[in-house]
């Protein structure tokens, strides 16, 4: 081999330098490409495991629908049933009784008969015994003669607060038109073995207008015939048969 001339050596070095320069440029370009394209790939991998905004909206909508369906099912499960009731109308407001025909069918039928024949129209709440009862009916009304036979005793429920039971004499089968709204729990006193060996038949419960009941019960009274009779008796202006949710 012959020695390179000075000119040839310079040409060879230029070629080597150019090669190195190109390699460096290629490495730099690859580094830049990785820098910009690498996160995109990572981001794309993340997209595969995390929902996009669209997917989040769809998932949220699906969850909302599922929740709504669940609520509908729960509402359906909690759907109320209807029960017979009567609304007693007074000048100062109304009181609603939910009836218990499954407990005292004869008593409830008697009550409804007094309504449909308008027998209780013009009768009143006339007796108020604090912590005991508010009694109503046609007591002391000369034009009100009970036209039907007394009803047999149907004692099944204790006389708890807000319950309504039939008043009667010492004869357990003597109830007619008088009724008592319990102002307290009188289960023991008005149950069998309490003040009476037979008990008093519950046939309804106050489900609306309790504030009016309490207001009537605090009215001024006087002693009459061994009873605390209201000086101002709330008159029953009308009674209607209806239904309530239970």
């Amino acid at each position: 081999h012959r020695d390179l001339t000075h000119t040839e050596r310079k040409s060879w070095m230029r070629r080597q330098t150019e090669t190195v320069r190109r390699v460096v440029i290629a490495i730099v370009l690859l580094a830049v490409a990785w820098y910009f394209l690498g996160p995109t790939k990572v981001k794309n991998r993340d997209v595969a495991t995390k929902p996009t905004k669209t997917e989040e909206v769809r998932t949220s909508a699906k969850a909302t629908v599922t929740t709504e369906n669940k609520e509908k099912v729960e509402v359906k499960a909690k759907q109320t049933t209807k029960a017979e009731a009567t609304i007693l109308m007074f000048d100062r407001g109304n009181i609603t009784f939910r009836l218990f025909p499954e407990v005292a069918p004869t008593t409830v039928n008697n009550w409804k008969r007094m309504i449909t024949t308008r027998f209780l129209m013009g009768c009143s709440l006339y007796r108020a015994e604090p912590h005991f009862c508010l009694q109503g009916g046609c007591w002391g009304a000369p034009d009100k003669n009970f036209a039907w036979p007394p009803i047999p005793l149907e004692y099944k429920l204790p006389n708890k607060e807000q319950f309504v039971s039939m008043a009667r004499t010492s004869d357990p089968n003597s109830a007619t038109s008088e009724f008592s709204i319990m102002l307290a729990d009188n289960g023991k006193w008005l149950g069998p073995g309490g003040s009476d060996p037979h008990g008093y038949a519950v046939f309804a419960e106050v489900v609306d207008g309790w504030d009016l009941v309490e207001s009537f019960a605090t009215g001024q009274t006087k002693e009459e015939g061994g009873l605390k009779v209201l000086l101002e008796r709330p008159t029953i202006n009308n009674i209607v048969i209806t239904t309530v949710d239970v």
Side-chain angles (χ1 to χ4, degrees):
H1 301 291
R2 66 181 182 85
D3 293 335
L4 296 176
T5 66
H6 177 71
T7 302
E8 289 174 336
R9 283 199 298 270
K10 287 180 66 176
S11 177
W12 180 83
M13 289 181 66
R14 282 197 299 269
R15 290 197 299 272
Q16 293 298 318
T17 301
E18 180 66 21
T19 300
V20 171
R21 187 179 67 83
R22 289 179 179 179
V23 170
V24 171
I25 291 173
I27 292 172
V28 170
L29 290 176
L30 286 173
V32 171
W34 181 90
Y35 179 82
F36 287 104
L37 297 178
T40 302
K41 294 178 181 178
V42 173
K43 185 177 179 182
N44 288 338
R45 287 199 296 272
D46 290 342
V47 170
T49 57
K50 295 182 181 179
T52 62
K53 289 295 182 181
T54 302
E55 289 172 338
E56 287 177 355
V57 170
R58 289 175 180 172
T59 303
S60 177
K62 184 177 180 180
T64 301
V65 171
T66 302
T67 302
E68 289 177 352
N69 290 338
K70 183 178 179 181
E71 289 175 351
K72 287 178 181 179
V73 171
E74 289 177 351
V75 168
K76 187 175 181 180
K78 294 180 180 178
Q79 277 184 344
T80 56
T81 56
K82 297 292 184 179
E84 283 189 303
T86 55
I87 302 175
L88 287 71
M89 301 179 182
F90 303 87
D91 289 340
R92 289 170 53 187
N94 302 334
I95 299 172
T96 303
F97 291 176
R98 173 200 170 186
L99 303 178
F100 297 147
E102 70 283 0
V103 173
T106 303
T107 307
V108 168
N109 286 336
N110 177 70
W111 179 259
K112 291 164 62 178
R113 178 175 58 189
M114 290 191 294
I115 295 172
T116 56
T117 60
R118 303 180 69 80
F119 178 82
L120 289 174
M121 291 282 292
C123 296
S124 65
L125 301 176
Y126 59 85
R127 178 190 178 193
E129 300 278 356
H131 310 296
F132 181 47
C133 76
L134 179 65
Q135 189 167 331
C138 302
W139 182 78
D143 59 332
K144 295 289 186 179
N145 295 314
F146 192 75
W148 306 279
I151 57 178
L153 176 65
E154 294 178 304
Y155 178 85
K156 292 180 182 177
L157 293 178
N159 284 260
K160 295 182 178 181
E161 184 178 11
Q162 295 187 221
F163 277 11
V164 186
S165 61
M166 294 301 296
R168 56 172 176 77
T169 67
S170 57
D171 181 349
N173 301 313
S174 61
T176 54
S177 62
E178 309 300 303
F179 60 95
S180 300
I181 302 172
M182 297 297 110
L183 301 176
D185 187 349
N186 299 302
K188 291 183 178 179
W189 180 247
L190 296 180
S195 63
D196 179 270
H198 307 286
Y200 291 78
V202 171
F203 70 94
E205 176 186 13
V206 176
V207 294
D208 193 31
W210 185 248
D211 55 340
L212 188 59
V213 170
E214 293 183 317
S215 177
F216 288 153
T218 58
Q220 290 187 326
T221 61
K222 65 176 181 179
E223 292 288 336
E224 185 176 335
L227 305 177
K228 290 185 178 180
V229 178
L230 288 166
L231 295 180
E232 295 185 9
R233 302 181 185 180
T235 300
I236 301 172
N237 297 324
N238 194 15
I239 305 184
V240 295
I241 299 174
T242 183
T243 60
V244 293
D245 292 332
V246 294

